[in-house]
Amino acid sequence: VRSETDGLLPQSDTNQPLVFFVNGKKVTDDGPDPECTLLVYLREKLRLCGTKLGCAEGGCGACTVMVSK
């Protein structure tokens, strides 16, 4: 990745944990797998097996993620 000054931008810090909230509870993952989808994470890591497996096309809203502060 190039910058205006030296031609290279620093790579993102891969040691930062992933922090998010699910149903009002804070979840921290110190080593998230970049290949893992949100659906797989919710079902396999958090054991939220009621999470609907959608069509992955976005038409029904099952793949919707609400982002807020």
Side-chain angles (χ1 to χ4, degrees):
V1 182
R2 303 221 172 260
S3 73
E4 295 176 7
T5 56
D6 63 4
L8 294 176
L9 289 175
Q11 296 294 321
S12 62
D13 184 1
T14 57
N15 295 325
Q16 292 183 2
L18 175 65
V19 180
F20 59 99
F21 291 83
V22 176
N23 297 332
K25 296 180 183 176
K26 185 176 180 179
V27 177
T28 303
D29 189 333
D30 292 324
D33 177 4
E35 300 291 321
C36 183
T37 65
L38 179 60
L39 176 70
V40 170
Y41 193 92
L42 291 174
R43 294 181 109 183
E44 294 181 8
K45 300 271 187 171
L46 300 181
R47 300 288 185 205
L48 297 174
C49 298
T51 306
K52 181 180 176 188
L53 175 59
C55 63
E57 293 181 14
C60 66
C63 306
T64 304
V65 176
M66 179 184 251
V67 179
S68 65
K69 291 184 179 182

